[in-house]
Amino acid sequence: MSMDIDDILADVSDNAIPQETRDLQELTRAWISERVAPEILPYPEALMQRTMDRIRRQIELVEMQTGDMDPRTNFRLIIIQTELERFKYLIRSFLRARIAKIDRYAFHILSTPAMKARLSTTELQYVTQHQALLQDHYGSSFLRNFPEQLRRLDDTAGGISMIEQPDLDTAVFCRILKDSEDPIELKGTGALLDLKRGNIHVIRYSAIREALLRGDVELI
């Protein structure tokens, strides 16, 4: 099977990039995607583990060499600390974006196995305990005064669901990372869109959802 020259060059370029730089690029991409996507995305376990391990090592190095009077060492520490702050900012903002979605769509996430599987172990513990505390608080504050049939926070009676779900038809900007042989159908129009590498589109999130999860598309 023949390979496109762009694919060959991209593969050579990726192999030439240090792992730390690739991790920073992946973390930045995950951060942007999490902030833009209307639903919570799969937790990048391996990437986060590598990043946190690197941060711990760099913090230890800074603590060991702090106080060294060598100007070259001090300059190197400044560079390391600057890089540390960049990684820490991305991680904090990334996790805050995920927590905001977890808080907002807690019932939806807990009631949907596919969504629960996207959480980290810590996130799953958080949403489970948070939701239990919230239910206890509501129950003791005012729900106990309601009739039994009106006390559920996840009621779907009467064709109206109390479970808030993300709007998957939200418009997003995306960049195509890989050519796709199968065009996607644009909901409500019947039109087909070819996904060509490098193209940028404004499109409903639901239309590129699967391509995003495969890594064929990135949000911008």
Side-chain angles (χ1 to χ4, degrees):
M1 182 176 64
S2 61
M3 292 183 64
D4 187 271
I5 186 63
D6 290 336
D7 295 328
I8 296 174
L9 292 175
D11 185 57
V12 172
S13 178
D14 286 345
N15 291 332
I17 298 175
Q19 181 65 52
E20 180 175 352
T21 303
R22 291 203 301 271
D23 284 347
L24 179 59
Q25 293 173 344
E26 287 185 38
L27 182 59
T28 303
R29 182 174 295 168
W31 167 62
I32 294 173
S33 294
E34 198 66 65
R35 287 170 59 89
V36 174
E39 64 177 348
I40 196 162
L41 299 174
Y43 183 77
E45 186 73 46
L47 171 63
M48 294 299 289
Q49 186 62 53
R50 289 196 305 272
T51 302
M52 295 305 296
D53 287 344
R54 185 176 297 109
I55 287 175
R56 292 190 192 97
R57 291 196 300 269
Q58 289 182 331
I59 289 176
E60 291 174 358
L61 178 62
V62 170
E63 291 176 345
M64 287 175 55
Q65 297 189 3
T66 296
D68 194 319
M69 300 305 294
D70 186 348
R72 288 176 299 179
T73 300
N74 289 335
F75 181 70
R76 180 166 176 263
L77 289 181
I78 291 173
I79 295 176
I80 292 175
Q81 288 175 320
T82 302
E83 189 72 2
L84 267 174
E85 290 306 313
R86 178 160 59 165
F87 271 102
K88 286 162 64 177
Y89 170 80
L90 288 173
I91 290 174
R92 284 196 299 265
S93 185
F94 171 72
L95 294 177
R96 284 172 181 161
R98 292 180 64 83
I99 289 297
K101 293 179 185 178
I102 289 172
D103 286 342
R104 183 173 182 180
Y105 305 120
F107 272 121
H108 171 65
I109 292 172
L110 289 175
S111 62
T112 311
M115 292 294 104
K116 284 179 65 174
R118 295 183 179 187
L119 303 183
S120 67
T121 302
T122 304
E123 289 172 338
L124 183 57
Q125 291 174 348
Y126 166 78
V127 68
T128 302
Q129 294 174 3
H130 178 268
Q131 203 58 33
L133 289 172
L134 199 61
Q135 285 186 290
D136 288 344
H137 171 66
Y138 287 162
S140 61
S141 297
F142 59 88
L143 287 180
R144 62 182 178 182
N145 300 318
F146 287 10
E148 184 67 32
Q149 67 272 20
L150 298 179
R151 295 180 185 178
R152 293 180 59 86
L153 296 177
D154 56 352
D155 189 15
T156 58
I160 300 176
S161 177
M162 293 180 62
I163 301 177
E164 186 176 6
Q165 300 184 25
D167 181 8
L168 300 184
D169 286 333
T170 297
V172 295
F173 284 85
C174 69
R175 179 187 291 112
I176 311 304
L177 300 178
K178 297 179 182 178
D179 290 340
S180 176
E181 296 180 359
D182 300 319
I184 60 175
E185 182 177 352
L186 301 181
K187 183 177 178 181
T189 67
L192 298 178
L193 176 67
D194 290 324
L195 301 182
K196 297 298 183 182
R197 181 175 178 175
N199 286 355
I200 295 177
H201 301 281
V202 182
I203 194 170
R204 293 176 189 264
Y205 173 79
S206 57
I208 51 91
R209 184 187 188 196
E210 296 303 321
L212 174 66
L213 295 177
R214 291 196 305 268
D216 296 345
V217 169
E218 68 174 349
L219 300 179
I220 56 177

